[in-house]
Amino acid sequence: MSEQPEPQPVLPFDVDEIREITASDHRYIADHPHSPYLFWIGCSDARVPETSMLRGREQQVFTHRHIANLFHGDSVKASLVFFSNLERSEVNRVPEIFVVGHLDCGGVRAAYSVAHGNESPSLHADLLRWLDPLIAFSREIGPDGGVDRLTRENIKQQVKNVLQALVTQDAKHTIHVYGYLYKGDSGFARLVSETYIPKSNS
C-alpha cells in the first residue's frame, strides 16, 4: 500500500510575511477610527464579496453577508443597530445602506423551489428556518417570472425590512437605503431607493 502524500494547505504562507502584514494592519487600524458610511447587506456567495465589487471603498464599509441577502434575525438587526448608532466624524455626509442581491443565487433558487413544489435538494432544518420568510414571500408573489423575478422582488422587500427596523429602533441619523441587483459582467442595477428620516428631522 503506497503512502498518501501529506495534505498541503490551500494557501501556503510565509510566517515572516504574515507577521509583516499583521503589523501593517495593526498600524492601519490604530490610525483609522471606525466610522463607515456604508452598511452592505449582501449574500454569502463567494463570488460576490463587497471588497472586490466596491473598488476602493473597503475602508468605508460595514458588512453583513448572509444567505440570499435576507434581512432578519437578531444578528443582522444587531449589525444595523450598531451601524446606525456609530458616531459620525463627517457630519454632512449621510450614511448609506446597500441591500445587494445577485443573479444565480442558490438561496433564492432553493426558496423558490420549496415554495412552488419543484424538485429540490433536501434542506437542513436550520436553513429552512432562515429561508422561511423568502419561501413565504415567493408563495405570495407567485411563480410567474421564475427565480429572476423572486431575486429582484426579494431585494425590494429587504429594503422595506431595513426601513421598518430603522423606524422600530428610532435611528437618529438620516440614512439612504438602496436595493441593488448585481448581474455579473453587466454590473449593478438599482431597483429601489428610499430614505429614512428620523422623527426629529421630519
Side-chain angles (χ1 to χ4, degrees):
M1 182 176 178
S2 60
E3 291 186 5
Q4 295 294 321
E6 287 292 323
Q8 296 298 313
V10 176
L11 296 175
F13 61 89
D14 178 85
V15 173
D16 292 333
E17 181 181 359
I18 295 298
R19 187 180 292 116
E20 182 179 343
I21 291 172
T22 302
S24 174
D25 284 349
H26 174 73
R27 288 193 299 272
Y28 179 85
I29 291 173
D31 292 342
H32 294 78
H34 186 218
S35 186
Y37 282 89
L38 174 59
F39 179 22
W40 177 284
I41 301 170
C43 182
S44 297
D45 193 309
R47 298 169 296 176
V48 289
E50 75 289 343
T51 48
S52 63
M53 298 166 76
L54 291 171
R55 296 180 183 176
R57 297 188 68 182
E58 296 95 332
Q59 298 89 344
Q60 302 173 35
V61 184
F62 186 70
T63 304
H64 195 111
R65 295 172 62 194
H66 218 307
I67 297 165
N69 53 273
L70 295 178
F71 182 86
H72 74 88
D74 291 342
S75 63
V76 195
K77 291 177 181 177
S79 295
L80 179 63
V81 170
F82 183 79
F83 171 79
S84 61
N85 286 286
L86 284 172
E87 293 184 4
R88 309 290 169 186
S89 58
E90 298 177 45
V91 295
N92 293 324
R93 185 167 181 182
V94 178
E96 300 174 345
I97 297 175
F98 284 10
V99 179
V100 185
H102 65 99
L103 295 180
D104 192 34
C105 175
V108 176
R109 284 202 315 270
Y112 182 89
S113 183
V114 172
H116 301 294
N118 300 324
E119 292 185 12
S120 63
S122 177
L123 299 179
H124 189 280
D126 289 337
L127 179 56
L128 272 174
R129 275 194 293 272
W130 177 257
L131 292 175
D132 262 347
L134 184 54
I135 293 168
F137 183 58
S138 184
R139 288 174 177 148
E140 178 185 331
I141 66 175
D144 293 350
V147 174
D148 284 355
R149 181 191 176 204
L150 179 59
T151 300
R152 289 173 168 83
E153 296 302 321
N154 176 49
I155 294 166
K156 297 175 185 178
Q157 182 60 43
Q158 302 318 308
V159 168
K160 292 179 182 178
N161 292 349
V162 169
L163 287 169
Q164 183 57 47
L166 288 168
V167 171
T168 301
Q169 73 176 53
D170 193 22
K172 304 303 181 185
H173 301 284
T174 297
I175 299 176
H176 296 321
V177 186
Y178 303 97
Y180 285 99
L181 173 68
Y182 181 64
K183 300 187 290 183
D185 292 343
S186 58
F188 292 92
R190 183 188 295 183
L191 302 183
V192 61
S193 303
E194 300 285 353
T195 300
Y196 166 81
I197 301 176
K199 291 179 182 177
S200 58
N201 292 351
S202 58

